[in-house]
Amino acid sequence: MKGWRPPAPFLLLLPAILVLAAVVIIPLILSLYSSFTPFRLTQPASLFTLIGFRNYARILTDIEFWTAFGRTVLLLTVALNVEMLLGLGLAMLVEKATRGQRLLRTIMMFPMMFSPILVGFQFKFMFNDNIGLVNNALQSLGLTDQAIPWLIDGSLAFFAILVAEIWSSTSVFAILILAGLLAMPKEPIEAARVDGCTPWQTFRYVTWPFIMPFAYIAMTIRSLDVARAYDIVKIMTDGGPAKRTELLWTLVSRTAYADARMGLANAMAYVAILLSILFTVYFFRKLSAARTQIAAEW
Amino acid sequence: MATVSLEKLVKRYGAVEVVHGIDLEVADREFIALVGPSGCGKSTTLRMIAGLEPVSDGNIKIGGRVVNDLPPRARNLAMVFQSYALYPHMTVRENMGFSLKIAGQKPEDIAPQVEEAAKTLDLTHLLDRRPSQLSGGQRQRVAMGRAIVRQPDVFLFDEPLSNLDAKLRTQMRVEIKKLHAKVQSTVIYVTHDQVEAMTLADRIVIMRDGYIEQVGTPEDVFQRPKSKFVAGFIGSPPMNLKDAEIADGQVVFANGDRLPLPARFRDRVTAGQKVTFGLRPDDLYPAGHGIHSGEDADVHKQDLRVILTEPLGNETLVFSDFAGAEWVGRMLNPRRLSPGEALPFCFDLSQAHLFDRESGRTLRG
Ligand SMILES: Nc1ncnc2c1ncn2[C@@H]1O[C@H](COP(=O)(O)OP(=O)(O)O)[C@@H](O)[C@H]1O
Ligand SMILES: [Mg+2]
């Protein structure tokens, strides 16, 4: 008598399924589960008490959480827009370069090669009120004679973080948009010039529609990134001073480890993921629409 | 409507000069074809006229006004590109109306003009499609429509038909001819296909390596080529061109074979002169199968051996052996010939050409 044998494709995929389960699915389920418990690292037994949606209900009314949430959305919005504009400008300049373009492209990628931790330290130093480059430069230029407390004042610190974020990620936009510009056929631009377009109109009606999908790809990638904005903030201000630069992920990690309330932190994390997914879906929609428009073949 | 003048027009890319000071006068409403082999500078010249390439030296005048430093948009031209260069994200309607929109016309004024052009080009049912949903021929027509709608002073075409298959090309050639008759604008048409140039143009400009070799009507360049290059370039199949020397009042080929010196050249050559002898396939035919009766004074008759034939139905191209080389002749009212067969051929020397071998210039007055 023959026993049941699983189909061959399943057997062949089994190792992959097992690995995926071990490193992705099980931790995900575990963290989701723990968001329904009052789990504290200091009281392991609390992992087995179910409290339903109490953690989530608590988040809903938590001012601190919503402040961090709002700040994250603000950071995302400002950072993405500025990065996109700067990236576009940079890409167009590099595309114009007839000589040394490869070198410029490589240089443009440098910020991406730095780990965010390093970027954090680098900007923490630059914005230091006593020994930082920024104050030093401002003072040498005679623009101010004070030591501006960049990382201490709440909105200045937010600005400093924004600068660091933008510095480290503008190249994502620049590179993707440059790829778009290089892939773009040149004749439609010439046709537009003959058709009577000024340089601005050529950009507005011909170039931009073509590179828009590339900008949306960058947006999609970056929207996943900024919603995880953690390292740079952690290093530069650690959410301080007095929680004035707290973002979702610094708040989550503080709740999980400093306050040891793992269950609550996990619930927060799931709300944050939701935010990230919303952004991503939004840009993905835009991307599909833009792609259809230029009839892209990819 | 406008004239176009090129005066000592030069184009340099860095140290390399690709257009060497050409002069050309294009009359109002004239259809001019720029022909020449690939890389001879046709596109470069056209793009300078369009304003897409800066002029290195000399002048371009449109309607008598020097336009060297004007951007393309200030020149009121329309250009049809080889790759069509349609705007991929716009529908056919938007593509065709784009220049009017840029010019600031109202949508309700643009619509009828676009519809009108679409009707002329049989594009009405495609107006809401995007370029990616069109066939090559349809894209080509949209590109033409975009140019017509603009009502430009001058139309510029850069090899507009070379991406189409042979049948469509013939069809579009006719369309372009009809269109020119209708819109009555000045046209400068670049092509490497001499048939297109011959069939479309009022005058043909033959370019070679950045120089103009000859400017003339299709009859001119066909019947009175000024150089060996033009003689070989215009006409299909190309003219038989064979090197020879003048001796004893005869044309003597390298292997010693001879032809009488055509009457027209009798006092234009000297003994011992090195020449190139040219005879079109139409003027070399089996006796009784030519355009002419073969009984004229300046016809030389000689038996030749057939190497190969290419029957085309109404005529046959006959490749035969003479003077140690292959000569192509055209046989009207053809009958079957077999390779190796020898038969009497007529050389119509009244139509023959002689060129100086060194300079390539014609020896005719
Ligand atoms: N942007 C450029 N830079 C350098 N050389 C060029 C450039 N464009 C064209 N050329 C050269 O100019 C010559 C004429 O080119 P073109 O006008 O395109 O010829 P065609 O008659 O085939 O249209 C060619 O030898 C080509 O290599
Ligand atoms: Mg060309």
Side-chain angles (χ1 to χ4, degrees):
Chain A
M1 224 178 92
K2 270 192 185 169
W4 178 81
R5 284 192 57 188
F10 178 77
L11 278 178
L12 290 172
L13 284 174
L14 200 58
I17 293 173
L18 286 178
V19 171
L20 265 182
V23 302
V24 179
I25 299 169
I26 292 177
L28 262 181
I29 291 175
L30 208 66
S31 65
L32 184 63
Y33 163 80
S34 75
S35 73
F36 296 104
T37 68
F39 181 42
R40 281 169 176 269
L41 287 175
T42 47
Q43 297 161 327
S46 58
L47 184 56
F48 305 103
T49 326
L50 271 176
I51 53 168
F53 283 92
R54 211 183 300 159
N55 280 332
Y56 288 92
R58 195 181 156 148
I59 291 171
L60 279 181
T61 55
D62 185 352
I63 294 284
E64 206 172 274
F65 176 82
W66 288 111
T67 319
F69 188 96
R71 200 176 282 120
T72 309
V73 173
L74 184 68
L75 182 79
L76 243 150
T77 315
V78 177
L80 285 188
N81 280 297
V82 175
E83 282 171 20
M84 148 100 175
L85 284 178
L86 288 180
L88 179 66
L90 212 58
M92 290 181 59
L93 282 177
V94 172
E95 202 242 349
K96 285 266 183 297
T98 44
R99 233 180 269 179
Q101 203 191 72
R102 286 164 69 102
L103 184 69
L104 283 175
R105 283 206 300 257
T106 314
I107 292 176
M108 211 161 70
M109 290 179 68
F110 274 0
M112 284 169 78
M113 299 174 191
F114 283 70
S115 105
I117 307 263
L118 274 181
V119 177
F121 276 120
Q122 176 190 326
F123 277 89
K124 188 175 188 171
F125 163 69
M126 299 227 296
F127 281 111
N128 185 293
D129 46 359
N130 285 320
I131 54 162
L133 276 181
V134 177
N135 275 348
N136 207 319
L138 289 178
Q139 285 162 3
S140 306
L141 288 172
L143 294 175
T144 178
D145 52 5
Q146 277 152 22
I148 301 172
W150 285 109
L151 296 174
I152 296 163
D153 178 88
S155 37
L156 285 180
F158 184 79
F159 174 79
I161 290 170
L162 203 58
V163 170
E165 267 296 332
I166 291 168
W167 181 85
S168 71
S169 297
T170 292
S171 53
V172 176
F173 280 84
I175 283 161
L176 278 161
I177 292 176
L178 181 63
L181 285 173
L182 293 177
M184 178 171 186
K186 295 292 164 278
E187 287 89 355
I189 292 182
E190 298 190 329
R193 290 175 61 198
V194 176
D195 264 351
C197 286
T198 59
W200 163 247
Q201 286 169 323
T202 308
F203 175 78
R204 160 84 181 70
Y205 292 111
V206 182
T207 312
W208 176 241
F210 191 89
I211 55 176
M212 205 154 58
F214 294 85
Y216 282 130
I217 294 176
M219 286 270 190
T220 312
I221 295 173
R222 282 290 293 145
S223 66
L224 291 169
D225 260 13
V226 183
R228 294 184 310 209
Y230 174 68
D231 331 44
I232 291 180
V233 190
K234 173 77 186 166
I235 300 298
M236 284 179 74
T237 63
D238 196 13
K243 298 183 181 170
R244 274 176 301 205
T245 53
E246 192 93 290
L247 295 181
L248 272 183
W249 297 97
T250 54
L251 178 66
V252 169
S253 86
R254 189 185 320 286
T255 312
Y257 299 106
D259 305 353
R261 291 194 295 194
M262 199 51 114
L264 182 63
N266 271 328
M268 287 176 171
Y270 272 94
V271 175
I273 286 172
L274 209 64
L275 167 75
S276 176
I277 290 176
L278 283 182
F279 264 94
T280 309
V281 167
Y282 173 74
F283 288 124
F284 211 75
R285 286 253 169 93
K286 289 277 212 184
L287 170 64
S288 308
R291 266 180 52 189
T292 327
Q293 253 213 344
I294 62 161
E297 270 138 25
W298 35 272
Chain B
M1 308 301 123
T3 58
V4 177
S5 323
L6 311 183
E7 299 172 349
K8 305 249 171 305
L9 189 63
V10 174
K11 179 67 194 180
R12 277 183 289 265
Y13 287 111
V16 187
E17 193 170 287
V18 298
V19 174
H20 312 285
I22 58 175
D23 289 286
L24 181 67
E25 289 289 333
V26 183
D28 189 19
R29 300 177 189 200
E30 191 175 23
F31 197 123
I32 282 275
L34 278 182
V35 282
S38 269
C40 70
K42 308 176 298 283
S43 296
T44 306
T45 306
L46 197 74
R47 291 166 55 80
M48 281 194 282
I49 298 173
L52 293 170
E53 289 286 349
V55 170
S56 305
D57 223 325
N59 280 327
I60 297 175
K61 289 184 184 165
I62 298 175
R65 183 173 60 137
V66 176
V67 296
N68 288 19
D69 299 321
L70 293 183
R73 74 189 123 94
R75 302 190 184 194
N76 196 25
L77 318 150
M79 183 154 170
V80 177
F81 295 78
Q82 179 174 358
S83 59
Y84 316 136
L86 300 178
Y87 309 122
H89 56 289
M90 298 184 200
T91 61
V92 170
R93 190 189 302 279
E94 288 163 343
N95 261 285
M96 287 171 66
F98 183 66
S99 61
L100 302 182
K101 176 174 153 188
I102 290 300
Q105 293 199 20
K106 292 196 207 73
E108 59 266 33
D109 296 334
I110 298 175
Q113 299 179 63
V114 170
E115 314 252 316
E116 165 80 28
K119 212 158 67 191
T120 315
L121 288 161
D122 194 21
L123 286 170
T124 311
H125 59 295
L126 301 173
L127 278 176
D128 293 312
R129 297 228 194 138
R130 286 184 202 286
S132 59
Q133 299 163 312
L134 303 177
S135 70
Q138 291 167 336
R139 286 181 207 188
Q140 216 286 324
R141 291 213 299 275
V142 176
M144 302 241 298
R146 194 169 63 178
I148 298 173
V149 166
R150 216 168 128 58
Q151 299 192 330
D153 291 336
V154 182
F155 279 101
L156 305 176
F157 290 87
D158 192 355
E159 312 214 8
L161 305 184
S162 54
N163 286 352
L164 301 181
D165 61 51
K167 194 172 156 211
L168 260 177
R169 206 178 311 165
T170 317
Q171 205 176 318
M172 285 310 296
R173 213 162 64 201
V174 177
E175 294 297 323
I176 290 178
K177 195 153 192 173
K178 282 191 202 152
L179 207 69
H180 179 241
K182 188 166 166 198
V183 298
Q184 292 279 313
S185 328
T186 311
V187 175
I188 302 178
Y189 186 103
V190 162
T191 175
H192 65 262
D193 179 356
Q194 52 101 15
V195 179
E196 264 171 45
M198 293 292 279
T199 49
L200 288 171
D202 297 322
R203 281 193 305 154
I204 296 179
V205 177
I206 295 145
M207 288 186 70
R208 177 197 192 185
D209 295 341
Y211 293 99
I212 290 182
E213 283 273 317
Q214 185 169 358
V215 182
T217 62
E219 298 75 38
D220 256 350
V221 296
F222 186 81
Q223 289 169 3
R224 288 174 289 281
K226 282 191 182 157
S227 68
K228 198 156 71 176
F229 175 79
V230 174
F233 191 80
I234 300 288
S236 167
M239 185 187 287
N240 298 294
L241 288 166
K242 313 290 173 195
D243 288 347
E245 250 184 65
I246 306 298
D248 317 329
Q250 289 185 311
V251 181
V252 183
F253 295 95
N255 74 338
D257 279 356
R258 294 163 178 248
L259 282 176
L261 186 58
R264 197 195 303 152
F265 294 98
R266 226 155 261 165
D267 43 9
R268 302 204 155 269
V269 292
T270 50
Q273 189 170 358
K274 290 183 177 8
V275 297
T276 300
F277 176 85
L279 193 66
R280 290 210 180 274
D282 311 73
D283 305 316
L284 174 62
Y285 43 85
H289 291 273
I291 303 175
H292 310 288
S293 65
E295 301 306 326
D296 304 343
D298 220 1
V299 168
H300 170 77
K301 277 196 189 157
Q302 176 159 0
D303 278 4
L304 297 184
R305 201 170 47 82
V306 175
I307 300 172
L308 182 82
T309 59
E310 279 186 355
L312 299 172
N314 59 336
E315 61 182 38
T316 293
L317 299 180
V318 185
F319 296 80
S320 52
D321 183 28
F322 177 63
E326 202 175 86
W327 295 59
V328 54
R330 197 188 294 273
M331 178 188 202
L332 302 182
N333 306 315
R335 68 173 175 87
R336 274 199 90 78
L337 299 177
S338 37
E341 186 178 342
L343 69 161
F345 272 77
C346 297
F347 290 78
D348 189 343
L349 297 180
S350 66
Q351 303 297 318
H353 300 265
L354 279 185
F355 303 96
D356 184 76
R357 202 193 295 174
E358 283 300 307
S359 67
R361 300 270 103 196
T362 183
L363 291 172
R364 183 178 168 141

